[in-house]
Amino acid sequence: MLRFLLEKEFKQFFRNSFVPRMVIMFPLTAILIYPLVANFEVKNVNLSLVDHDKSSYSRSLVQKVVASGYFNITNVASNYEKALRTIESNRADLILEIPSNFERTLVKERKANLMISANAVNGNKGGLGTAYLVRIISDFNGNIQTELMGNHGRMKIPNLDIIPLYRYNPSLLYSVFMVPAILIMVLAMICGFLPALNIVGEKENGTIEQMNVTPVKKFTFIVSKLIPYWLSGYVVLTIGITVSLLVWKLFPEGYLITIYFFATIFILAFSGFGLVISNYAITVQQAMFMMFFFVLTFIFMSGLYTPVENMPNWAQFISHFSPLKYIIQVLRMVYLKGSAFNELIPQFIALCGFAIFFNGWAVLSYRKSS
Amino acid sequence: MKVIEAENLTKRFGQFTAVDHISFAVEKGEIFGFLGANGAGKTTAMRMLCGLSKPTSGKGTVSGFDIDKESEAVKKSIGYMSQKFALYEDLKVWENLRLYGGIYGMDNKAIGPKIDELLQQLGFESEKDTMVKSLPLGWKQKLAFSAAIFHEPKIVFLDEPTGGVDPAARRQFWELIYDAADRGITVFVTTHYMDEAEYCNRVSIMVDGRIEALDTPKNLKKQFEAENMDQVFHQLARRAKRN
């Protein structure tokens, strides 16, 4: 019986003008584009410069700022008010004002003031831009101090230089962190949304009622709906892994088999979730919005964008109920640290729990009769 | 031999009693017309007999199986054609027939020849590979009926099978119904068309969830002193309080 249903599902799958393309194009675009866009590194901070001093010190400070690569000097203003106007018109994010007599006060009094004003509408950019600028200035300050001290023939001030060693992602590439997680997001979309929409579509067309008067077991019917999307899940995963290798030069440190194994449990769990939705939704539109609501919540609670540890306590508690959290942890750990199965047992248990819970609920709530 | 029996079959939705203690029996090989105005409870009653809806109270058996407790066994012995056209539009004619043959447990090898035979009888061989969505409605309905009896069920339930098509197409459809009845398939059909009621062996007329009349068309006309079934229906439908 399953055989005939599968024949039907696969024919319909490949005749659909949208679904097969989605299965290929979604992971491709997501893995190619999202890591570039979903990027919190702050570069290209636009700086408006007000230099009242125009001395050799102020010039070398400006040079140092430009050389850092984080800043574009988009505007040189004659006074602070004019510089502020460029911020208001969004042409600059940051103002660096160097007072007149900067060099002289610095040499004479060993102390001088600079002003940094940041546009904090985009708090991330304002904050990080300021931090970069402060670091450059303090570096500059250190250089000046040694220079001045040297002139006086005193002892050099010991300079602490901190070089952090970043394990697992040595160059702190954001793509390395994001790609595995985005892969999971795509998988959740394909394997959660599509089977749910498919079943609700049959409800809308009335064809499911025709199925319900046949002796087809509800379990058989559901399995026939899921199998094409499980296979699509593997296609999605394989495309994603290949593209991230080719484009992002990313290959899991751990075993691929670990990834596929955990992905299987995740797909099972998440498609089960899609089925639960399909049992309660009457129209495709309803199903779509219900899925959207839950998937977005799951994604925000998963640590995909912001680490779970940064969340307030209540949100951390809620994040335990996002299946995405566990699978994203698994992928990041396998990709970056090369974790093996024995280090991933808590995630394994959690994902199995979700799979049993959602699928159990789906089978129990599917009704052939009312 | 009775193949459908209902005894005080009742369905309530909250306060609303859609089907109110109906009792009747259908003989094997009979064409049984199930009439009633819109909202009289025909579809609900039929859905209960098909195991799609659970009765609130009362008892029913279809082909000897209890419709409440043995609904899966009931489903094996019946065919059903819903009001809404329910074949898969994105499957070809033969693929739809193959699907329904397969899920009723027909042998894989037997399905192919049976499809060819059926399409030949219908004069429809040329459309074997046509996608169902591109067929005209009249043909879709004939195809849906053929799919419903493809596995040779004991009983077939038809819910307003000829809605929305011209009289010629309806006529052709009823020829298929007669063919099926000749092969011993019991036909349980709801309809709004009173000329179709005349084609039935016996008809029942539902008013407000209850069966108000049940007999052969000839006897009903005599009983209500009417010239045709249309007048019988109007006399009964006038008693309705629901709408």
Side-chain angles (χ1 to χ4, degrees), chain B residues 123-134:
Chain B
F124 210 43
E125 303 102 309
S126 57
E127 305 296 331
K128 185 179 174 184
D129 283 316
T130 308
M131 214 58 96
V132 164
K133 61 171 160 254
S134 52

Side-chain angles (χ1 to χ4, degrees), chain A residues 78-94:
Chain A
S78 55
N79 59 39
Y80 182 75
E81 280 66 39
K82 283 185 183 161
L84 201 57
R85 235 164 280 146
T86 61
I87 286 208
E88 282 161 1
S89 63
N90 224 4
R91 276 177 291 147
D93 305 303
L94 224 61

Side-chain angles (χ1 to χ4, degrees), chain A residues 1 3-5 7-9 11-12 15-16 202-217 221 225 368-370, chain B residues 11 47 50-54 72 75-76 80-82 84-88 90-92 94-95 98-100 102-104 108 111 131:
Chain A
M1 204 182 274
R3 172 192 163 175
F4 292 96
L5 287 169
E7 255 181 53
K8 155 190 174 278
E9 292 299 332
K11 277 174 191 161
Q12 290 181 312
R15 275 175 201 167
N16 192 308
E202 285 220 18
K203 266 193 201 176
E204 268 190 347
N205 291 336
T207 46
I208 204 162
E209 185 168 282
Q210 194 71 49
M211 274 295 152
N212 288 343
V213 281
T214 66
V216 170
K217 299 257 182 313
F221 181 69
K225 287 283 175 200
K368 278 183 83 178
S369 61
S370 55
Chain B
K11 179 80 182 183
R47 286 170 55 88
C50 295
L52 282 172
S53 178
K54 291 208 174 293
E72 292 305 306
K75 284 169 186 174
K76 283 201 181 94
Y80 172 74
M81 179 181 165
S82 75
K84 208 168 161 184
F85 175 75
L87 291 183
Y88 290 96
D90 51 354
L91 292 181
K92 293 170 183 169
W94 72 270
E95 289 168 343
R98 177 176 161 79
L99 172 67
Y100 283 102
I103 57 184
Y104 279 103
N108 189 25
I111 293 175
M131 214 58 96

Side-chain angles (χ1 to χ4, degrees), chain B residues 104-115:
Chain B
Y104 279 103
M106 277 178 69
D107 184 47
N108 189 25
K109 288 195 193 83
I111 293 175
K114 177 101 201 256
I115 291 173

Side-chain angles (χ1 to χ4, degrees), chain A residues 176-197:
Chain A
V176 173
F177 182 64
M178 284 312 280
V179 165
I182 284 171
L183 206 54
I184 289 306
M185 200 183 78
V186 176
L187 206 58
M189 292 288 196
I190 298 278
C191 300
F193 266 91
L194 294 184
L197 295 186

